[in-house]
Amino acid sequence: MRFFLLLCLLALGTAKPYQPINVMEFMKNYDLMMADDDENSDEDDNEDDDYDEDENCPAGCHCLPRVVQCSDQGQISVPEKIPEDTLILDLQNNDLTEIKENDFKGLNKLYGLFLINNKLSKIHPQAFRNMAHLRLLYLSYNLLTEIPANLPPNVIELRFHENKINRIQKDAFKGLRKLHVLELGANPLASSGIELGAFNGLSTLYVGMAEARLTAVPKDLPSSITELSLDYNKILKVEVEDFIRYKNLLRLRLGFNQIKSVENGSFVSTPNIREIHLDNNRLKKVPPGLSSLRYLQVIFLHGNKINSVGVNDFCPFRPGIKKNLYTGISLFANPVKYWDVQPATFRCVIGRRGVQLGNFRK
């Protein structure tokens, strides 16, 4: 069950982080109760049988066993007297401006905390103390300017989408060795705003930094990442040194940047990569080295300035070298004359629908 939960969270990494969370649907789909079944005793189950909503539920909230929903209530502060056995606390779409030191005091069993779409600009450094069981922390759509201190050590999904974060300080994520999803997209974060060592001690699978102000691929991200989203930035080029650290990378998104060139050998360090998005950039030719990527299945190059395609740009010269055939190559919205492209160019593609050409307009 835990393995399934982690796979679901990783899949959510590419979903829109700013969408409101339907807490009850979330509980139904991922069965968070079972995720910590070794830590929920029979005594806890008996307590649920005696649950009295009117007596235990904070004013203005709706409660179910271990779930407290206080969303869309115009709350200006965290409600008092939240039951100590609460697993899920929903505070979305309120007017919270600050999280104080003792707002979550006693909530040591908390598993998911949803603070999406508030007005938070300040979080006390000790606000998350004693939250060893917290796994999901959603802080998207707020006014935070930096990463809060002392984040819960066992969190597996952390979202800061669309805040005001323009700096990530050294050791900002130190100790988060169980993190799988880190979403930082839609923040005014420039390359110069990421301090050296900002990701020290962090082990994660997905990092999202789309819609920021990056001018280069960050080179100090966790080496464990398997998916990196950098769409809608201001990146100008891709260099060999960009991905040396990311040997486990499977999916790379660089669409809607200003990339004019990809240095030969840039993807040598990512031999297992499956999917590359380089659409809507300023490339004038197919990036070199794609034919050597044995497991690459999807490459998006539409919306560039590519005017020619070579017969060996995608497929290796020697048959049998490629382990996975392509399922998608997009080249539409380029000035390439599709009638000049040799049929053998796509000899390692599955089916005719695997290639998209044409539809170029000046």
Side-chain angles (χ1 to χ4, degrees):
M1 182 63 195
R2 291 181 179 180
F3 179 71
F4 175 72
L5 175 63
L6 293 179
L7 288 178
C8 290
L9 292 178
L10 196 57
L12 281 172
T14 57
K16 295 181 179 179
Y18 48 84
Q19 290 181 335
I21 301 298
N22 185 324
V23 172
M24 299 316 299
E25 190 67 24
F26 194 94
M27 296 285 288
K28 177 181 177 181
N29 288 343
Y30 303 116
D31 198 0
L32 298 182
M33 304 298 187
M34 292 182 62
D36 273 348
D37 56 355
D38 59 329
E39 295 168 353
N40 293 333
S41 63
D42 293 336
E43 181 180 351
D44 290 332
D45 294 335
N46 292 333
E47 289 176 0
D48 290 344
D49 296 335
D50 299 330
Y51 182 80
D52 185 334
E53 178 177 334
D54 293 334
E55 180 180 347
N56 294 280
C57 197
C61 301
H62 173 68
C63 298
L64 292 172
R66 299 181 184 175
V67 178
V68 177
Q69 290 183 274
C70 308
S71 58
D72 302 280
Q73 298 297 316
Q75 301 274 4
I76 60 174
S77 62
V78 176
E80 298 180 355
K81 298 181 180 180
I82 298 171
E84 292 187 355
D85 65 345
T86 301
L87 285 182
I88 301 295
L89 177 56
D90 179 10
L91 288 163
Q92 300 177 91
N93 306 320
N94 281 295
D95 296 317
L96 304 178
T97 59
E98 178 183 0
I99 299 297
K100 299 178 181 178
E101 180 177 2
N102 294 319
D103 279 348
F104 304 124
K105 185 178 181 180
L107 302 182
N108 300 336
K109 295 182 180 181
L110 206 60
Y111 191 103
L113 177 57
F114 303 124
L115 289 159
I116 299 171
N117 196 26
N118 277 274
K119 300 175 182 178
L120 293 173
S121 61
K122 183 178 180 181
I123 296 179
H124 193 279
Q126 299 301 319
F128 301 121
R129 70 188 184 282
N130 300 322
M131 284 191 175
H133 299 297
L134 194 68
R135 301 295 190 272
L136 313 175
L137 180 56
Y138 289 15
L139 286 158
S140 299
Y141 263 75
N142 278 287
L143 303 173
L144 298 172
T145 57
E146 61 181 25
I147 306 299
N150 302 314
L151 292 166
N154 294 313
V155 66
I156 60 175
E157 184 176 2
L158 187 57
R159 293 183 177 273
F160 293 102
H161 186 271
E162 194 146 331
N163 274 268
K164 304 293 184 182
I165 297 172
N166 56 21
R167 182 176 71 94
I168 302 180
Q169 61 273 31
K170 182 180 179 181
D171 295 327
F173 305 102
K174 188 175 182 179
L176 304 187
R177 299 188 180 279
K178 296 184 179 180
L179 193 67
H180 281 69
V181 174
L182 175 59
E183 179 57 68
L184 291 162
N187 280 283
L189 183 62
S191 297
S192 58
I194 304 175
E195 295 184 8
L196 185 64
F199 300 93
N200 282 346
L202 177 63
S203 177
T204 188
L205 300 180
Y206 169 87
V207 174
M209 288 179 150
E211 302 177 80
R213 298 177 182 176
L214 302 176
T215 54
V217 175
K219 299 176 179 60
D220 195 32
L221 297 174
S223 60
S224 56
I225 58 172
T226 60
E227 185 166 351
L228 177 59
S229 177
L230 298 172
D231 292 328
Y232 293 96
N233 274 283
K234 299 179 180 180
I235 298 171
L236 300 174
K237 57 184 177 181
V238 175
E239 301 175 307
V240 171
E241 61 181 11
D242 286 346
F243 302 109
I244 290 177
R245 181 178 172 84
Y246 314 134
K247 301 183 185 302
N248 299 314
L249 201 60
L250 299 178
R251 297 178 185 86
L252 173 64
R253 290 177 170 81
L254 284 166
F256 292 92
N257 276 275
Q258 301 171 22
I259 298 171
K260 295 182 178 181
S261 65
V262 176
E263 189 176 358
N264 192 14
S266 293
F267 300 118
V268 170
S269 299
T270 60
N272 298 316
I273 198 161
R274 264 68 168 177
E275 188 174 322
I276 299 175
H277 294 235
L278 279 163
D279 54 286
N280 295 285
N281 278 284
R282 300 178 182 179
L283 296 173
K284 294 183 178 181
K285 62 180 182 179
V286 175
L290 296 182
S291 61
S292 66
L293 299 175
R294 304 169 72 187
Y295 297 96
L296 184 63
Q297 293 177 284
V298 175
I299 175 71
F300 287 172
L301 293 168
H302 55 272
N304 278 279
K305 299 181 179 181
I306 299 171
N307 54 29
S308 66
V309 178
V311 70
N312 294 318
D313 279 350
F314 298 102
C315 304
F317 179 74
R318 293 172 53 192
I321 292 179
K322 193 162 179 60
K323 297 297 183 181
N324 291 345
L325 298 180
Y326 286 99
T327 58
I329 297 177
S330 68
L331 283 162
F332 64 89
N334 278 287
V336 60
K337 298 177 180 178
Y338 63 88
W339 53 86
D340 287 340
V341 179
Q342 299 184 40
T345 301
F346 306 115
R347 59 190 178 275
C348 56
V349 180
I350 297 177
R352 289 179 296 177
R353 294 186 178 181
V355 180
Q356 297 178 347
L357 277 166
N359 299 321
F360 174 71
R361 296 181 179 179
K362 292 185 178 180

